[in-house]
Amino acid sequence: MDRPVALPPDEPLDAGTPGGALPPSTSGEDAGTADAGLESATPPAPPGADLLAQGIPGPGELKRLDFRGGEPRLPIRLMEGRREATFSPRGRMRMRFGGAVEKMLDAAAGTRWTVRVTQGVPAVLSARVQLSEHRFADREGLAAAQEEWRARGIPVRTHVLGAVYGIAGKVIDNRRSLLLVDEVLSHEDAMKRQADLLQRFGVRTTLFEEAHTPARGILEVRDESGAVVGLAQDRLDAESPDGAGFDVRQVEYGVGYDFHGFEDRTFRGALQFSVDRAGLLAVVNVVPLEDLLKGLVPAEIFARAHAEALKAQAVTARGEVLAKVGIKHLADPYLLCSEQHCAVYRGRTGEAASTTAAVEATRGEALFSADGRLVDSVYSAVCGGHTEDNDIVWGGPPDPSLRGRPDILEPTADTPAPSRLAKWLAAPDLRAACRLSSFAQPSKFRWEKRFTAAQLDALVARLGVGRVQAMSLSERGVSGRARVLSVSGDQGATQVRGELNIRRLLGMLNSSMAVVEAERDAEGRPTHWLFRGGGWGHGVGMCQTGAIGRAEAGQRYQDILRHYFNGAEVAPIY
């Protein structure tokens, strides 16, 4: 393992430096507080070492990446908001009770234990309304947003999340600039402020929350007979020193979705029980990144897909996880959750032999641009035959690694281009990788969505234009995806900007690679609106179905990723 070397904040990371840690940069009016960085003073753990004895990351350390043992271990929330949780070790277990005098409890494999929170006190949170988020390099976009809100009479401030840090001569920079309303509020008052901004300016916002006073509580441990065998203040750690992992009963998943339910699951790594922001129990899996990916990649791609496509997915997923550290769940006792908000993760329960092999074959590998920086390795399900530029979909500066490009395996002289979108969408035999893949779904490669006039009027009612008379998509990118929807009605006209905003307005349209036509009655009044389009998802970065098609055509995962990420190269970071 490369030993990290600290560098001053303004000194560039030398590619020849074995490893480095750069503190978070600051910009604008407010310094960023996320402190993701390398654990710089801890030597690597020898094989078979008891990681619990070294200390599982505590609440104050959760925003850091810990490269002890050669790869980072990350705290992933399995569930929260519970009064109690029941678990069993699959091997010998050791529990550590925090406190002035540390106490240990050893137990045999297969024993059942229940942790219950008592005397829970919620965290004291503060909130600001978040108006927008910008890539750290997007100084112009941030400045324009500041000026726009100040012109509206709203005082604002900036805040930087994430960090820039390095290891093995590679740079990982996941900094984001947030634009916040410059007033600290309670959660309830912040929600009222959001409603006010929506009503006045038609802008949907999010909340930026921080915990000023951590939640508190007593964690009570009971054995199979129900007897209390120990108490811990705020936090309890459990590890199986032989690496056997744990079974956790009735893990809640899909909260807020139609598929919400409970399932007994098995996890690698260690468990940490802590008090969540509501003063209830949070169950956290502290797991090495590679083991996390084994339980995560199968949820992102078909496990039966070609091995080279699975390797490509493993590399992109690894970069995605690294890019999220210190960005989410700032007021919670974990780094990431195991739901759609972060990354779907079922632990060992969700693993498949094929995706595990792909993770192991690409251990420690991520995508890096020509200047040695981690690529934002995003992906979508079906690109529709052409990927899109990042700035068309999300705004901000162009990313050289995220340039839209054709996904045609065998282009011919008469292959239409997305610049002639109607012809492109109607082409019958397009040799697109995501159309030729054995996992291709024709209804996602090309699709139609038809609304009645009444349905569409209801969807766009909040725009205040009345009954829609005309509609058009414009400002298209290289794939034909639009970033502006113009709507005219009998009470006015307006524009909706942003690829995702357009799709959400229209009931999560499959993509904005679409054309729209009005069907009218004899008097010229709209009766229906027909959208004809291609692709499923934003279309930036790797096309997952296309990656399978390319693998089936004989391409290796490095070539697949090089294609989708404009020449970026796969390289190991540990």
Side-chain angles (χ1 to χ4, degrees):
M1 172 185 167
D2 293 306
R3 191 68 177 270
V5 179
L7 298 177
D10 297 322
E11 182 176 325
L13 184 65
D14 186 345
T17 305
L22 296 180
S25 297
T26 61
S27 79
E29 302 158 1
D30 192 23
T33 58
D35 59 350
L38 298 182
E39 191 78 37
S40 60
T42 307
D50 182 355
L51 295 177
L52 184 64
Q54 302 179 47
I56 294 174
E61 302 170 293
L62 291 183
K63 306 309 172 192
R64 301 168 65 90
L65 278 182
D66 178 358
F67 278 84
R68 287 179 289 189
E71 65 179 288
R73 291 178 295 147
L74 295 98
I76 310 298
R77 186 209 74 196
L78 304 182
M79 52 184 170
E80 64 184 351
R82 304 285 290 275
R83 291 288 178 186
E84 64 179 38
T86 300
F87 70 101
S88 299
R90 296 175 68 87
R92 183 173 61 87
M93 180 187 71
R94 178 174 298 164
M95 279 191 285
R96 184 178 69 197
F97 299 78
V101 179
E102 189 170 81
K103 297 180 180 179
M104 300 281 190
L105 183 151
D106 289 333
T111 51
R112 188 172 67 183
W113 304 88
T114 298
V115 178
R116 178 178 299 167
V117 65
T118 64
Q119 302 177 39
V121 178
V124 177
L125 302 177
S126 67
R128 281 192 172 95
V129 176
Q130 179 180 321
L131 300 169
S132 59
E133 178 179 321
H134 304 262
R135 291 173 180 246
F136 188 70
D138 187 16
R139 305 297 177 87
E140 292 184 4
L142 178 63
Q146 287 176 298
E147 183 61 31
E148 178 184 6
W149 283 101
R150 286 171 176 157
R152 291 169 168 172
I154 306 296
V156 295
R157 65 187 292 130
T158 61
H159 189 93
V160 176
L161 290 182
V164 54
Y165 54 95
I167 187 167
K170 302 296 181 183
V171 179
I172 300 174
D173 184 353
N174 68 348
R175 291 171 294 174
R176 301 285 189 275
S177 297
L178 308 183
L179 185 64
L180 309 173
V181 175
D182 192 15
E183 56 181 332
V184 180
L185 302 167
S186 67
H187 181 86
E188 294 74 18
D189 288 342
M191 291 181 67
K192 293 178 183 177
R193 190 80 162 106
Q194 284 185 288
D196 173 65
L197 292 171
L198 178 61
Q199 182 178 15
R200 292 171 62 192
F201 305 111
V203 177
R204 295 189 179 276
T205 58
T206 56
L207 289 186
F208 175 77
E209 295 181 303
E210 294 181 292
H212 281 284
T213 304
R216 307 279 299 185
I218 301 298
L219 300 178
E220 189 179 82
V221 180
R222 294 175 178 263
D223 63 16
E224 295 183 42
S225 68
V228 176
V229 298
L231 301 174
Q233 176 72 53
D234 304 332
R235 174 183 152 202
L236 171 73
D237 297 319
E239 172 139 332
S240 179
D242 58 6
F246 295 86
D247 295 326
V248 182
R249 307 289 176 87
Q250 293 296 285
V251 176
E252 187 174 16
Y253 63 88
V255 178
Y257 292 88
D258 292 340
F259 54 88
H260 173 253
F262 297 84
E263 180 181 47
D264 293 348
R265 293 179 175 177
T266 300
F267 298 93
R268 301 176 185 269
L271 293 179
Q272 188 173 96
F273 302 88
S274 57
V275 184
D276 66 20
R277 61 164 66 191
L280 298 171
L281 183 65
V283 183
V284 178
N285 184 201
V286 183
V287 62
L289 175 55
E290 298 302 309
D291 286 344
L292 170 65
L293 293 172
K294 291 173 183 176
L296 184 156
V297 172
E300 300 287 352
I301 194 170
F302 299 105
R304 295 180 290 107
H306 193 287
E308 294 301 304
L310 299 183
K311 292 175 188 176
Q313 183 69 67
V315 173
T316 57
R318 190 176 289 109
E320 275 273 276
V321 170
L322 291 172
K324 290 174 180 173
V325 171
I327 297 296
K328 297 174 176 282
H329 295 293
L330 299 184
D332 297 308
Y334 45 82
L335 273 176
L336 302 171
C337 65
S338 58
E339 300 284 340
Q340 279 78 1
H341 177 256
C342 293
V344 176
Y345 167 65
R346 297 177 61 215
R348 192 175 251 156
T349 303
E351 293 178 12
S354 58
T355 48
T356 292
V359 171
E360 292 175 344
T362 62
R363 174 181 167 80
E365 292 182 349
L367 269 174
F368 291 89
S369 59
D371 61 356
R373 291 184 173 269
L374 181 73
V375 170
D376 188 5
S377 50
V378 295
Y379 44 87
S380 65
V382 182
C383 71
H386 204 296
T387 61
E388 188 52 88
D389 295 341
N390 69 290
D391 42 307
I392 291 294
V393 173
W394 297 307
D399 185 330
S401 299
L402 299 177
R403 301 291 83 198
R405 56 195 312 169
D407 200 23
I408 308 300
L409 288 176
E410 300 171 12
T412 62
D414 61 347
T415 299
S419 57
R420 295 177 291 167
L421 188 57
K423 186 175 181 180
W424 163 263
L425 293 172
D429 297 313
L430 207 61
R431 303 286 296 171
C434 56
R435 175 177 171 269
L436 299 176
S437 161
S438 62
F439 287 83
Q441 299 180 52
S443 62
K444 292 180 179 176
F445 181 72
R446 293 290 181 265
W447 48 266
E448 290 188 355
K449 179 74 173 179
R450 192 166 180 258
F451 300 95
T452 66
Q455 286 174 329
L456 189 72
D457 291 344
L459 287 172
V460 305
R462 69 178 180 84
L463 300 180
V465 298
R467 289 177 294 183
V468 178
Q469 304 299 309
M471 180 177 292
S472 64
L473 291 161
S474 60
E475 292 193 20
R476 298 184 184 274
V478 292
S479 75
R481 285 171 171 82
R483 59 177 172 182
V484 174
L485 173 70
S486 298
V487 185
S488 297
D490 58 8
Q491 296 179 21
T494 191
Q495 290 186 332
V496 177
R497 304 188 69 86
E499 188 266 357
L500 183 57
N501 291 332
I502 294 170
R503 291 169 59 204
R504 282 177 172 166
L505 179 72
L506 299 172
M508 280 315 295
L509 206 62
N510 284 356
S511 83
S512 68
M513 181 199 282
V515 294
V516 57
E517 302 170 359
E519 299 175 3
R520 301 180 184 273
D521 62 17
E523 297 180 1
R525 293 173 299 198
T527 59
H528 294 83
W529 296 93
L530 176 65
F531 288 82
R532 292 185 293 109
W536 190 35
H538 53 69
V540 181
M542 187 177 77
C543 173
Q544 292 174 289
T545 308
I548 298 173
R550 289 182 172 276
E552 292 171 343
Q555 294 186 17
R556 298 173 65 242
Y557 76 97
Q558 296 96 330
D559 298 321
I560 294 170
L561 294 172
R562 195 176 291 121
H563 169 79
Y564 287 117
F565 295 99
N566 200 28
E569 296 292 340
V570 175
I573 51 176
Y574 53 84

